[in-house]
Amino acid sequence: MDTVQKPLLRALSGEAVWPPPFWLMRQAGRYLPEYRQLRAQAGDFIALCTNPVLAAEVTLQPLRRFGMDGAILFSDILMLPWAMGQGLRYAEGEGPLLDPIRDAGGLAALDPGAMRARIAPIIETVARVKAGLAQEAPKAALIGFAGSPFTVACYMVEGKGGGEFANARRMAYADPVLFGRIIRLLVDSTVDYLLAQAEAGAEALMLFDSWAGLMPPGQFRRWSIEPTAAIVRGIRKVLPDIPLIGFPRLAGPLLPEYAQRTGVSTVGMDTGMDPRWAAANVPAGFGLQGNLDPQALVAGGAALEAEARSILAAMRGRPFVFNLGHGIVPPTPPDHVAALARVIRMG
Ligand code: CP3
């Protein structure tokens, strides 16, 4: 199908497509038995992300079941620091663990020059998914992604998730020169990484800033909005029209300013955002994406349907992409995803 006719790309380019296209953050993952099987086959999570055949297969699995309008590359935001040489492992039940960077020596130990070679398998996954979509789901668009510099820096400095990133947030105040060097390295490498994904076939790009909302407004502008704007400029220099989605989670009332100052074309709404407020306050030219509570998807039934319908009602007439307010969680019954897809398709 002609790229410009794909419903997701039309919505991300500012058209109020109805019923809205949909995809779900973490749509590939542990809630699907077929994912768990390939994950076991691959060994560990990094092995899965760097195996283009298996990673492409995992990317396509949810589309086969549920017919999403978008396929998101199967990888992780932390594969970028991994590709620059930072020690990373995913411990069962604990989430990601990195060798933390706490000083200039830690930063100097990274090898950004190694990045291109180490991300090669991920870029190959993009190309494989693109070919797979042409065969299996020609109306679906391929979404590439990266973490936003602040969120990736949180993990790089802290060495783990699961808390409030006290060390990383403190470094941003106490040593803004060092923190700024980490952020700049991430801006440059993220532009390269996303352009490589686009060149391999990604048709839209998303930046996940999952922890942006941990910062007060001044820090948010400096460490979330400004670096994101720099990435957007770097990408737009080469690809002026590619749809860009920014997701500054927990940004609250700063969401409209983030939309206008970063230059992204669509903004993601997190679970707590009132979609009516977003529709009234984010200027009409921007697309909106979100924001069903992942727990409503676990619960299912009438509650799921009511929540989905209220989001649809708030978004009617807007360029809109239905999604969750954060990622799918492992206990989600796949049947509930199918039920949600039916509700969305009714519009
Ligand atoms: O389907 C998709 O959405 C595409 C793949 C994807 C993953 N992670 C796969 C993954 C994407 C887009 C991400 C983004 C990501 N990764 C974010 C931003 C979005 C968010 O959730 O806030 C963040 C903060 C990470 C970092 C990360 N990766 C954490 C904190 C964890 C552990 C928590 C968990 O769910 O296990 C991961 C691991 C991870 N990333 C898994 C998957 C499928 C689970 C790994 C496994 O199979 O054991």
Side-chain angles (χ1 to χ4, degrees):
M1 171 178 261
D2 184 353
T3 277
V4 295
Q5 290 179 351
K6 294 185 178 185
L8 177 61
L9 299 181
R10 284 165 50 208
L12 292 175
S13 304
E15 193 183 323
V17 179
W18 210 263
F22 85 105
W23 66 281
L24 304 173
M25 291 188 276
R26 291 282 179 96
Q27 62 191 20
R30 285 164 296 183
Y31 75 108
L32 290 176
E34 60 269 35
Y35 169 82
R36 293 196 298 270
Q37 199 201 323
L38 283 196
R39 166 88 159 71
Q41 196 180 318
D44 65 24
F45 179 68
I46 294 177
L48 179 54
C49 291
T50 53
N51 181 324
V53 174
L54 295 185
E57 182 62 19
V58 162
T59 306
L60 294 169
Q61 284 174 343
L63 280 85
R64 292 189 189 123
R65 272 191 190 242
F66 311 116
M68 283 91 173
D69 297 287
I72 183 157
L73 164 67
F74 188 82
S75 181
D76 196 77
I77 63 166
L78 301 178
M79 294 306 287
L80 185 62
W82 172 85
M84 293 191 286
Q86 188 167 11
L88 168 67
R89 63 197 176 89
Y90 290 82
E92 211 58 64
E94 269 185 277
L97 296 172
L98 302 92
D99 301 336
I101 294 175
R102 297 285 168 82
D103 52 30
L107 177 59
L110 294 181
D111 180 9
M115 183 194 102
R116 269 293 179 136
R118 294 191 80 181
I119 62 162
I122 298 172
I123 301 306
E124 189 187 330
T125 302
V126 174
R128 281 178 176 270
V129 174
K130 190 67 178 294
L133 287 177
Q135 290 297 314
E136 294 188 42
K139 290 173 90 165
L142 176 50
I143 305 162
F145 75 93
S148 281
F150 176 73
T151 288
V152 177
C154 277
Y155 288 96
M156 291 172 77
V157 172
E158 205 70 29
K160 59 178 171 32
E164 297 218 313
F165 301 98
N167 288 284
R169 288 160 55 211
R170 197 178 315 128
M171 184 194 283
Y173 292 107
D175 194 348
V177 172
L178 177 60
F179 196 72
R181 286 176 57 209
I182 298 173
I183 293 289
R184 260 196 308 284
L185 173 64
L186 287 168
V187 166
D188 293 344
S189 56
T190 300
V191 169
D192 277 4
Y193 182 41
L194 289 175
L195 286 174
Q197 293 181 35
E199 198 182 322
E203 298 161 284
L205 300 169
M206 176 154 168
L207 284 161
F208 288 89
D209 212 347
S210 304
W211 302 109
L214 295 179
M215 293 181 283
Q219 296 288 95
F220 179 90
R221 293 184 179 105
R222 182 170 183 185
W223 304 118
S224 177
I225 290 180
E226 285 179 22
T228 302
I231 291 171
V232 171
R233 283 194 299 273
I235 290 171
R236 293 250 186 262
K237 232 187 276 171
V238 182
L239 300 168
D241 299 320
I242 192 163
L244 297 175
I245 309 164
F247 180 46
R249 199 168 73 88
L250 306 175
L254 291 169
L255 188 65
E257 184 178 333
Y258 174 96
Q260 288 175 289
R261 290 189 38 201
T262 58
V264 297
S265 35
T266 294
V267 286
M269 302 179 286
D270 58 63
T271 303
M273 171 65 53
D274 179 352
R276 284 185 178 72
W277 186 89
N281 288 282
V282 175
F286 292 94
L288 294 169
Q289 173 174 282
N291 74 338
L292 182 76
D293 187 347
Q295 297 301 336
L297 192 58
V298 180
L304 166 61
E305 194 166 321
E307 287 298 317
R309 285 195 197 291
S310 93
I311 293 167
L312 288 165
M315 289 294 120
R316 193 176 266 282
R318 254 327 264 227
F320 174 57
V321 176
F322 199 105
N323 204 316
L324 301 181
H326 201 186
I328 291 192
V329 290
T332 303
D335 284 355
H336 294 183
V337 178
L340 172 63
R342 286 193 294 273
V343 174
I344 299 167
R345 293 301 190 212
M346 285 187 277

